[in-house]
Amino acid sequence: MSTTDSRPTLPSPRGSLSERILQALRTDPGGLVTDAAAVALAEPEDAALTLWVLQELSYRGFQDVPETAEWEPPVLAVRRHLQVDLEARLRSRWPGHQVPESDFAEALLQFIQDDDGPSVASYVHTHATEEQVLELLRWRSIYHLKEADPSTWTLPRLTRGPKAALAELQYDEYGAGRPDRLHAHLFAEAMAALGLSTRPGAYLDECPLEVLEMNNAMSLFGLDGRLRGASMGHLAAFEVTSSVPSGHLVRGLRRLGLAEEIVEYYAEHVIADSVHDQLATRLICAVLAEDEPEQAEDIFFGAFTCLDQEARCARTLLGRWGVAA
Ligand SMILES: [Fe+2]
Ligand SMILES: [Fe+2]
């Protein structure tokens, strides 16, 4: 292991499945024996942690796993079982939605804005303690330290219009050509200013099932081209519901006198995401639904999944803090 390697090492296992898979990844990924029954019987947290690790191999990977592990057939077989299982669970939660016959963007926007899930950001604005905010940031760091990466997987799967619009949105997320302005980097700088680790996945061991599943769903939608509609619907819900909560966070962080870097990170999103939500709903999702009508319902499914998982995470976190949600 190199001391300059900024990648994380493998997290702690959470059960017999992750114990066995993590051990194989470290030592002999190609020699892993796929046991479909063990995968099917794994406890939810054990399965979610295993899938998070396996999907992470398609991002920057781990210091203690050989890079060849990503494409080893037995590793892919376990990942496939877990992805099928996750998709089935997400679809079982989806109540369905009538695909609009006209003005797709407006209908999608309305669907997202009608969501009335609990808001951690409103609580941070007025009540949260510094300790609670740091816990929130540690949980959010699993995504924000690789912010925008899951949607990038969808880019080559799109038709011309949505592809151009997603590239525009991602250009902004990736700093518009400036390495010091990548949103993931701005978040890392804020973590450092708060005395927290900037290593991706550093706080994974303390993240509950809901956080693992939220990250796994984003990766699943991005990595599986068949789910491009869900990936873009998820992105739209994420962007539409970002600007106002980011404003609440800015005011809450200022109230607590936390480092200016984290205030700036959220202040940047108040402005950027008020543009990104238009790009995502009108120029990505609506045009995608026009170009590929069979993806239209999955766009709503992806948006629903984003909102549903945000609500699950919010309820878990507020529950830990003793706040009724
Ligand atoms: Fe961003
Ligand atoms: Fe954004």
Side-chain angles (χ1 to χ4, degrees), residues 275-319:
V275 178
H276 293 174
D277 63 2
Q278 296 298 314
L279 272 173
T281 51
R282 297 185 192 286
L283 298 180
I284 299 176
C285 289
V287 183
L288 172 60
E290 218 173 275
D291 289 353
E292 300 191 89
E294 70 284 1
Q295 290 291 324
E297 189 175 351
D298 262 9
I299 293 174
F300 279 88
F301 162 60
F304 166 81
T305 299
C306 175
L307 302 170
D308 181 54
Q309 291 191 315
E310 283 288 349
R312 285 167 193 269
C313 284
R315 279 194 291 270
T316 305
L317 194 57
L318 293 171

Side-chain angles (χ1 to χ4, degrees), residues 147 169 173 183 235 238-239 242 269 272-273 276:
E147 186 166 329
L169 195 159
E173 298 284 349
H183 288 188
L235 173 71
F238 196 96
E239 298 292 350
S242 167
H269 283 81
D273 290 343
H276 293 174

Side-chain angles (χ1 to χ4, degrees), residues 142-192:
I142 308 304
Y143 171 67
H144 287 309
L145 290 174
K146 61 169 199 252
E147 186 166 329
D149 286 350
S151 335
T152 301
W153 291 116
T154 307
L155 196 59
R157 332 277 195 149
L158 296 172
T159 50
R160 194 161 51 95
K163 183 182 279 182
L166 178 59
E168 183 180 344
L169 195 159
Q170 297 295 78
Y171 181 66
D172 212 21
E173 298 284 349
Y174 288 136
R178 290 178 54 191
D180 60 329
R181 298 301 298 169
L182 257 82
H183 288 188
H185 177 72
L186 295 177
F187 191 81
E189 284 199 318
M191 291 286 277

